[in-house]
Amino acid sequence: MMRSALVIGSLIGWGLGTACSPASIFACNDDAQCNDGVCQLDVGYCSFPDPACDSGQRYGDYAGDGLARECVGDDGESEQGTTTAATTVTTTLTTTSSPTTSPADSATTDEPPSDSSGEPLPCSPGWWDCSWGWRMALDVRWSGDVLRDFPVRVSLLSARAIPSLFDEGAADLRFVMDKTGELVPHELDFLAGERGELEVWVRIPELTPGARVWMYWGNPGAEDSQDPAAVWSAGYAAVWHMGSELADSTGLHHLEDLGTSQAWGWIGWARQFDAASGWLQPATEEGFVDLFSGGGTVSAWIRPDGWGEGGAGRIIDNTVDPDTSQGWALMVSNEGMSNWAPVRFSMDYQGDGYASWQSDPDAVELGRWTHVALTHWAQSAPENPEVYIDGRWEPVEPQSSANGEPELTSPFPASIGGLGADQLRIFDGVIDELRLSTVPRSADWLIAEYESGLDRMLDYGDPEARPPSP
């Protein structure tokens, strides 16, 4: 489901220090290169207006040296005055290079070839459909285990495309597999055509090294062919992009806003929680109330600004009360510490208390975006859940134990960003891209989800105009 078009900064998908690929960093030396932004000449990266920063400016998503998404300080550096250290991720990404100049620079026109009457020329063999005037190659950089029906983020800024890509609400977008010619489903997540920004999710049938999908556009008469439910068909119970519409991309569990506010998120818009009141709640629980009975997964991008109400701000909670009665909860918790917030997961057991696990205290840093993923299989003898922080496996320690059958049902609907039953434990910060799966995701899947969220899964080719037939 497409989100609204107002944007306060180009902050999508920040790189992590030297872990960035060439496609993840854009250097500038002039304001004109920053699309309504400012080139911070002392560091050579673009920043964009953001009233949440004291300086009124925040670095964009393609700033390097750990400055991406950081507020600009008086000296042009981040307000924290430090850069993010490089993160080691256990994955195997193909180190292919990408052009650092704008692909649009190589396009001499925004119109495909035509004859003297203005009619489009016939296209050559190999072009998917002659009604489409442009295409771009998207090459998969992942080289881990083959992942089937994996949703990949396609992040398109004006530096990667030409203006016609954003015409007519991008209704003419199509994605076609190179080898098979298969048309694959896509979903528009965010579109700001006036700024030249577009976020799309595309389901790749087999995520393999060197897989290529062609993105076609340039057919003003084409109807919108989005199919979000098909994009998220591989075991997802709910997918919330957390935009203004609060829709579930699977079509099953749209959210009701009970007092949150819209905020700039990891990808487009997200939801802000204030640690005092307000949360989100699905209209129905059917489909994920027993999420972990056969193995399930929760993942989200979070930016905790504090630990939340009571020092235990909920990311998502399916319980009746703060003692984790009837259900389960995923949260951040300070446990009396002053600088760091660990991740905690709890689950109730019938007649014998609840089990809980906690990560190391430095797993999540306040004020920074973090990808949190947890996969668990509920059993009568509880085993540790698998937790991944920014694509890395994170060890957890049991904090309390229980036995018996897990209590996975609750008479109160699940709540996002708080314990809705008692209006407690409200999250403090921003939550984006929350996903629930009724399958226990593999390590490779969760690493790939993180890498895709960083926009490091694809190499973007140059726009190609439809060639005439020989």
CSV table of all heavy atoms in Angstrom, one decimal, residues 106-124 127 129-135 162 164 216-220 463-470:
chain,number,residue,atom,x,y,z
A,106,SER,N,23.4,9.5,-18.1
A,106,SER,CA,23.6,8.8,-19.4
A,106,SER,C,22.4,8.8,-20.3
A,106,SER,O,22.5,8.4,-21.4
A,106,SER,CB,24.1,7.4,-19.1
A,106,SER,OG,23.0,6.7,-18.5
A,107,ALA,N,21.2,9.2,-19.8
A,107,ALA,CA,20.0,9.3,-20.6
A,107,ALA,C,19.9,10.6,-21.3
A,107,ALA,O,19.9,11.7,-20.7
A,107,ALA,CB,18.8,9.0,-19.8
A,108,THR,N,19.8,10.6,-22.6
A,108,THR,CA,19.8,11.9,-23.4
A,108,THR,C,18.4,12.4,-23.5
A,108,THR,O,18.2,13.6,-23.8
A,108,THR,CB,20.4,11.7,-24.8
A,108,THR,OG1,19.6,10.7,-25.4
A,108,THR,CG2,21.8,11.2,-24.7
A,109,THR,N,17.4,11.6,-23.2
A,109,THR,CA,16.0,12.1,-23.3
A,109,THR,C,15.1,11.3,-22.4
A,109,THR,O,15.5,10.2,-21.9
A,109,THR,CB,15.5,11.9,-24.8
A,109,THR,OG1,14.1,12.2,-24.8
A,109,THR,CG2,15.6,10.4,-25.2
A,110,ASP,N,14.0,11.8,-22.0
A,110,ASP,CA,13.0,11.1,-21.2
A,110,ASP,C,12.0,10.4,-22.0
A,110,ASP,O,11.0,10.0,-21.5
A,110,ASP,CB,12.4,12.1,-20.2
A,110,ASP,CG,11.7,11.5,-19.0
A,110,ASP,OD1,12.1,10.3,-18.8
A,110,ASP,OD2,10.9,12.1,-18.4
A,111,GLU,N,12.1,10.4,-23.3
A,111,GLU,CA,11.2,9.7,-24.2
A,111,GLU,C,11.8,8.6,-25.0
A,111,GLU,O,12.9,8.8,-25.4
A,111,GLU,CB,10.6,10.8,-25.1
A,111,GLU,CG,9.8,11.9,-24.5
A,111,GLU,CD,8.5,11.4,-23.8
A,111,GLU,OE1,8.0,10.3,-24.3
A,111,GLU,OE2,8.1,12.0,-22.8
A,112,PRO,N,11.1,7.5,-25.1
A,112,PRO,CA,11.7,6.4,-25.9
A,112,PRO,C,11.7,6.8,-27.4
A,112,PRO,O,11.0,7.7,-27.8
A,112,PRO,CB,10.7,5.2,-25.7
A,112,PRO,CG,9.5,5.9,-25.3
A,112,PRO,CD,9.8,7.1,-24.5
A,113,PRO,N,12.4,6.1,-28.2
A,113,PRO,CA,12.5,6.4,-29.7
A,113,PRO,C,11.2,6.4,-30.3
A,113,PRO,O,10.3,5.6,-30.0
A,113,PRO,CB,13.4,5.3,-30.2
A,113,PRO,CG,14.2,4.8,-29.1
A,113,PRO,CD,13.3,4.9,-27.9
A,114,SER,N,11.0,7.4,-31.3
A,114,SER,CA,9.7,7.4,-32.0
A,114,SER,C,10.0,7.8,-33.4
A,114,SER,O,11.1,8.3,-33.8
A,114,SER,CB,8.7,8.4,-31.4
A,114,SER,OG,9.3,9.7,-31.3
A,115,ASP,N,9.0,7.6,-34.3
A,115,ASP,CA,9.2,8.0,-35.7
A,115,ASP,C,8.8,9.5,-35.9
A,115,ASP,O,8.4,10.2,-34.9
A,115,ASP,CB,8.5,7.1,-36.7
A,115,ASP,CG,7.0,7.1,-36.4
A,115,ASP,OD1,6.5,8.1,-35.8
A,115,ASP,OD2,6.3,6.1,-36.8
A,116,SER,N,8.8,10.0,-37.1
A,116,SER,CA,8.5,11.4,-37.4
A,116,SER,C,7.1,11.8,-37.0
A,116,SER,O,6.8,13.0,-36.7
A,116,SER,CB,8.7,11.7,-38.9
A,116,SER,OG,7.9,10.9,-39.7
A,117,SER,N,6.2,10.8,-36.9
A,117,SER,CA,4.8,11.1,-36.5
A,117,SER,C,4.6,11.1,-35.0
A,117,SER,O,3.5,11.4,-34.5
A,117,SER,CB,3.8,10.1,-37.2
A,117,SER,OG,4.0,8.8,-36.7
A,118,GLY,N,5.6,10.7,-34.3
A,118,GLY,CA,5.5,10.6,-32.9
A,118,GLY,C,5.1,9.2,-32.4
A,118,GLY,O,5.1,9.0,-31.2
A,119,GLU,N,4.9,8.3,-33.3
A,119,GLU,CA,4.5,6.9,-32.9
A,119,GLU,C,5.7,6.2,-32.4
A,119,GLU,O,6.8,6.3,-33.1
A,119,GLU,CB,3.8,6.2,-34.1
A,119,GLU,CG,2.5,6.7,-34.4
A,119,GLU,CD,1.5,6.5,-33.3
A,119,GLU,OE1,1.5,5.5,-32.6
A,119,GLU,OE2,0.7,7.5,-33.0
A,120,PRO,N,5.6,5.4,-31.3
A,120,PRO,CA,6.8,4.6,-30.9
A,120,PRO,C,7.3,3.7,-31.9
A,120,PRO,O,6.5,3.0,-32.6
A,120,PRO,CB,6.3,3.9,-29.6
A,120,PRO,CG,5.1,4.7,-29.2
A,120,PRO,CD,4.5,5.2,-30.4
A,121,LEU,N,8.6,3.5,-32.1
A,121,LEU,CA,9.1,2.6,-33.0
A,121,LEU,C,9.0,1.2,-32.4
A,121,LEU,O,9.0,1.0,-31.2
A,121,LEU,CB,10.6,2.9,-33.2
A,121,LEU,CG,10.9,4.2,-34.0
A,121,LEU,CD1,12.4,4.4,-34.0
A,121,LEU,CD2,10.4,4.1,-35.4
A,122,PRO,N,8.9,0.2,-33.3
A,122,PRO,CA,8.8,-1.2,-32.8
A,122,PRO,C,10.1,-1.5,-32.0
A,122,PRO,O,11.2,-1.0,-32.4
A,122,PRO,CB,8.7,-2.1,-34.1
A,122,PRO,CG,8.2,-1.1,-35.1
A,122,PRO,CD,8.8,0.2,-34.7
A,123,CYS,N,10.0,-2.3,-31.0
A,123,CYS,CA,11.2,-2.6,-30.2
A,123,CYS,C,11.8,-3.9,-30.6
A,123,CYS,O,11.2,-4.8,-31.3
A,123,CYS,CB,10.9,-2.7,-28.7
A,123,CYS,SG,9.7,-3.9,-28.2
A,124,SER,N,13.1,-4.1,-30.2
A,124,SER,CA,13.8,-5.3,-30.6
A,124,SER,C,13.5,-6.5,-29.8
A,124,SER,O,12.9,-6.3,-28.7
A,124,SER,CB,15.3,-5.0,-30.5
A,124,SER,OG,15.6,-4.7,-29.1
A,127,TRP,N,12.9,-7.4,-25.5
A,127,TRP,CA,12.1,-6.4,-24.7
A,127,TRP,C,10.8,-7.0,-24.2
A,127,TRP,O,10.1,-7.6,-25.0
A,127,TRP,CB,11.9,-5.1,-25.5
A,127,TRP,CG,11.6,-3.9,-24.7
A,127,TRP,CD1,10.3,-3.4,-24.5
A,127,TRP,CD2,12.5,-3.0,-24.2
A,127,TRP,NE1,10.4,-2.2,-23.7
A,127,TRP,CE2,11.8,-2.0,-23.5
A,127,TRP,CE3,13.9,-2.9,-24.1
A,127,TRP,CZ2,12.4,-0.9,-22.9
A,127,TRP,CZ3,14.5,-1.9,-23.4
A,127,TRP,CH2,13.7,-0.9,-22.8
A,129,ASP,N,7.8,-5.9,-23.2
A,129,ASP,CA,6.5,-5.5,-23.8
A,129,ASP,C,6.8,-4.1,-24.5
A,129,ASP,O,7.3,-3.2,-23.8
A,129,ASP,CB,5.4,-5.3,-22.8
A,129,ASP,CG,4.1,-5.1,-23.4
A,129,ASP,OD1,4.0,-4.2,-24.3
A,129,ASP,OD2,3.1,-5.6,-22.9
A,130,CYS,N,6.5,-4.0,-25.8
A,130,CYS,CA,6.9,-2.8,-26.6
A,130,CYS,C,6.1,-1.6,-26.1
A,130,CYS,O,6.4,-0.5,-26.6
A,130,CYS,CB,6.7,-3.1,-28.0
A,130,CYS,SG,7.8,-4.3,-28.7
A,131,SER,N,5.0,-1.8,-25.3
A,131,SER,CA,4.3,-0.7,-24.8
A,131,SER,C,5.0,0.1,-23.7
A,131,SER,O,4.6,1.2,-23.3
A,131,SER,CB,2.9,-1.1,-24.3
A,131,SER,OG,2.2,-1.7,-25.3
A,132,TRP,N,6.1,-0.5,-23.2
A,132,TRP,CA,6.8,0.1,-22.1
A,132,TRP,C,8.1,0.8,-22.7
A,132,TRP,O,8.8,0.1,-23.5
A,132,TRP,CB,7.2,-0.9,-21.0
A,132,TRP,CG,6.1,-0.9,-20.0
A,132,TRP,CD1,6.2,-0.4,-18.7
A,132,TRP,CD2,4.9,-1.6,-20.0
A,132,TRP,NE1,5.0,-0.6,-18.0
A,132,TRP,CE2,4.2,-1.4,-18.8
A,132,TRP,CE3,4.2,-2.3,-21.0
A,132,TRP,CZ2,2.9,-1.9,-18.5
A,132,TRP,CZ3,2.9,-2.8,-20.7
A,132,TRP,CH2,2.3,-2.6,-19.5
A,133,GLY,N,8.4,2.0,-22.4
A,133,GLY,CA,9.4,2.7,-23.0
A,133,GLY,C,10.8,2.7,-22.3
A,133,GLY,O,11.8,3.0,-23.0
A,134,TRP,N,10.8,2.2,-21.1
A,134,TRP,CA,12.1,2.2,-20.3
A,134,TRP,C,12.2,1.0,-19.5
A,134,TRP,O,11.2,0.4,-19.1
A,134,TRP,CB,12.2,3.5,-19.4
A,134,TRP,CG,12.3,4.8,-20.2
A,134,TRP,CD1,11.3,5.6,-20.6
A,134,TRP,CD2,13.5,5.4,-20.6
A,134,TRP,NE1,11.7,6.7,-21.2
A,134,TRP,CE2,13.1,6.6,-21.3
A,134,TRP,CE3,14.8,5.0,-20.5
A,134,TRP,CZ2,14.1,7.4,-21.8
A,134,TRP,CZ3,15.8,5.9,-21.1
A,134,TRP,CH2,15.4,7.1,-21.7
A,135,ARG,N,13.5,0.6,-19.2
A,135,ARG,CA,13.7,-0.4,-18.2
A,135,ARG,C,15.0,-0.2,-17.6
A,135,ARG,O,15.9,0.6,-18.0
A,135,ARG,CB,13.7,-1.8,-18.9
A,135,ARG,CG,14.9,-2.1,-19.8
A,135,ARG,CD,14.8,-3.5,-20.4
A,135,ARG,NE,16.1,-3.9,-21.1
A,135,ARG,CZ,16.3,-5.1,-21.7
A,135,ARG,NH1,15.3,-6.0,-21.6
A,135,ARG,NH2,17.4,-5.3,-22.3
A,162,ILE,N,15.1,8.4,-14.1
A,162,ILE,CA,14.8,9.5,-14.9
A,162,ILE,C,13.4,10.0,-14.5
A,162,ILE,O,12.6,9.2,-13.9
A,162,ILE,CB,14.9,9.3,-16.4
A,162,ILE,CG1,14.0,8.1,-16.8
A,162,ILE,CG2,16.3,9.0,-16.8
A,162,ILE,CD1,14.0,7.8,-18.3
A,164,SER,N,10.4,10.3,-15.7
A,164,SER,CA,9.2,9.6,-16.1
A,164,SER,C,8.9,8.5,-15.2
A,164,SER,O,7.8,8.0,-15.1
A,164,SER,CB,9.3,9.1,-17.5
A,164,SER,OG,10.3,8.1,-17.7
A,216,TYR,N,10.5,-2.2,-15.5
A,216,TYR,CA,10.0,-1.5,-16.7
A,216,TYR,C,9.0,-0.4,-16.3
A,216,TYR,O,8.3,-0.5,-15.3
A,216,TYR,CB,9.2,-2.5,-17.6
A,216,TYR,CG,10.0,-3.4,-18.4
A,216,TYR,CD1,10.5,-4.6,-17.9
A,216,TYR,CD2,10.3,-3.1,-19.7
A,216,TYR,CE1,11.3,-5.5,-18.7
A,216,TYR,CE2,11.1,-3.9,-20.5
A,216,TYR,CZ,11.6,-5.1,-20.0
A,216,TYR,OH,12.4,-6.0,-20.8
A,217,TRP,N,9.1,0.7,-17.0
A,217,TRP,CA,8.1,1.8,-16.8
A,217,TRP,C,8.1,2.6,-18.1
A,217,TRP,O,8.7,2.2,-19.1
A,217,TRP,CB,8.6,2.7,-15.6
A,217,TRP,CG,9.7,3.6,-15.9
A,217,TRP,CD1,9.7,4.9,-16.2
A,217,TRP,CD2,11.1,3.3,-15.8
A,217,TRP,NE1,11.0,5.4,-16.4
A,217,TRP,CE2,11.9,4.4,-16.1
A,217,TRP,CE3,11.8,2.1,-15.5
A,217,TRP,CZ2,13.2,4.5,-16.1
A,217,TRP,CZ3,13.2,2.1,-15.5
A,217,TRP,CH2,13.9,3.3,-15.8
A,218,GLY,N,7.3,3.6,-18.1
A,218,GLY,CA,7.2,4.4,-19.3
A,218,GLY,C,6.0,4.0,-20.2
A,218,GLY,O,6.1,4.0,-21.4
A,219,ASN,N,4.9,3.7,-19.6
A,219,ASN,CA,3.6,3.4,-20.4
A,219,ASN,C,2.5,4.2,-19.7
A,219,ASN,O,1.9,3.7,-18.8
A,219,ASN,CB,3.4,1.9,-20.4
A,219,ASN,CG,2.1,1.6,-21.2
A,219,ASN,OD1,1.4,2.5,-21.7
A,219,ASN,ND2,1.8,0.3,-21.3
A,220,PRO,N,2.2,5.4,-20.1
A,220,PRO,CA,1.2,6.2,-19.4
A,220,PRO,C,-0.2,5.6,-19.4
A,220,PRO,O,-0.9,6.0,-18.5
A,220,PRO,CB,1.2,7.5,-20.2
A,220,PRO,CG,2.6,7.6,-20.9
A,220,PRO,CD,2.9,6.1,-21.2
A,463,PRO,N,19.3,3.4,-16.7
A,463,PRO,CA,18.0,3.4,-17.5
A,463,PRO,C,18.3,3.1,-18.9
A,463,PRO,O,19.2,3.7,-19.5
A,463,PRO,CB,17.4,4.8,-17.2
A,463,PRO,CG,18.0,5.3,-16.0
A,463,PRO,CD,19.4,4.7,-16.0
A,464,GLU,N,17.5,2.2,-19.6
A,464,GLU,CA,17.6,1.9,-21.0
A,464,GLU,C,16.3,2.2,-21.7
A,464,GLU,O,15.2,1.8,-21.3
A,464,GLU,CB,17.9,0.4,-21.1
A,464,GLU,CG,19.2,-0.1,-20.5
A,464,GLU,CD,19.3,-1.6,-20.6
A,464,GLU,OE1,18.6,-2.2,-21.5
A,464,GLU,OE2,20.2,-2.2,-19.9
A,465,ALA,N,16.4,3.1,-22.7
A,465,ALA,CA,15.3,3.4,-23.6
A,465,ALA,C,15.0,2.2,-24.5
A,465,ALA,O,15.9,1.5,-24.9
A,465,ALA,CB,15.5,4.6,-24.4
A,466,ARG,N,13.7,2.0,-24.8
A,466,ARG,CA,13.3,1.0,-25.7
A,466,ARG,C,14.0,1.1,-27.1
A,466,ARG,O,13.9,2.1,-27.7
A,466,ARG,CB,11.8,1.0,-25.9
A,466,ARG,CG,11.3,-0.1,-26.8
A,466,ARG,CD,9.8,0.0,-27.1
A,466,ARG,NE,9.5,1.3,-27.8
A,466,ARG,CZ,8.7,2.2,-27.3
A,466,ARG,NH1,8.0,2.0,-26.2
A,466,ARG,NH2,8.4,3.3,-28.0
A,467,PRO,N,14.8,0.1,-27.5
A,467,PRO,CA,15.5,0.2,-28.7
A,467,PRO,C,14.6,-0.2,-29.9
A,467,PRO,O,13.6,-0.9,-29.8
A,467,PRO,CB,16.6,-0.9,-28.6
A,467,PRO,CG,16.0,-1.9,-27.7
A,467,PRO,CD,15.1,-1.2,-26.7
A,468,PRO,N,14.8,0.4,-31.1
A,468,PRO,CA,14.0,0.1,-32.2
A,468,PRO,C,14.4,-1.3,-32.8
A,468,PRO,O,15.5,-1.8,-32.5
A,468,PRO,CB,14.4,1.2,-33.2
A,468,PRO,CG,15.7,1.6,-32.8
A,468,PRO,CD,15.8,1.5,-31.3
A,469,SER,N,13.5,-1.9,-33.5
A,469,SER,CA,13.9,-3.2,-34.1
A,469,SER,C,14.9,-3.1,-35.2
A,469,SER,O,15.0,-2.0,-35.8
A,469,SER,CB,12.6,-3.9,-34.6
A,469,SER,OG,12.0,-3.0,-35.6
A,470,PRO,N,15.7,-4.1,-35.4
A,470,PRO,CA,16.8,-4.0,-36.4
A,470,PRO,C,16.2,-3.7,-37.8
A,470,PRO,O,15.1,-4.2,-38.1
A,470,PRO,CB,17.4,-5.4,-36.3
A,470,PRO,CG,17.1,-5.9,-35.0
A,470,PRO,CD,15.7,-5.4,-34.7
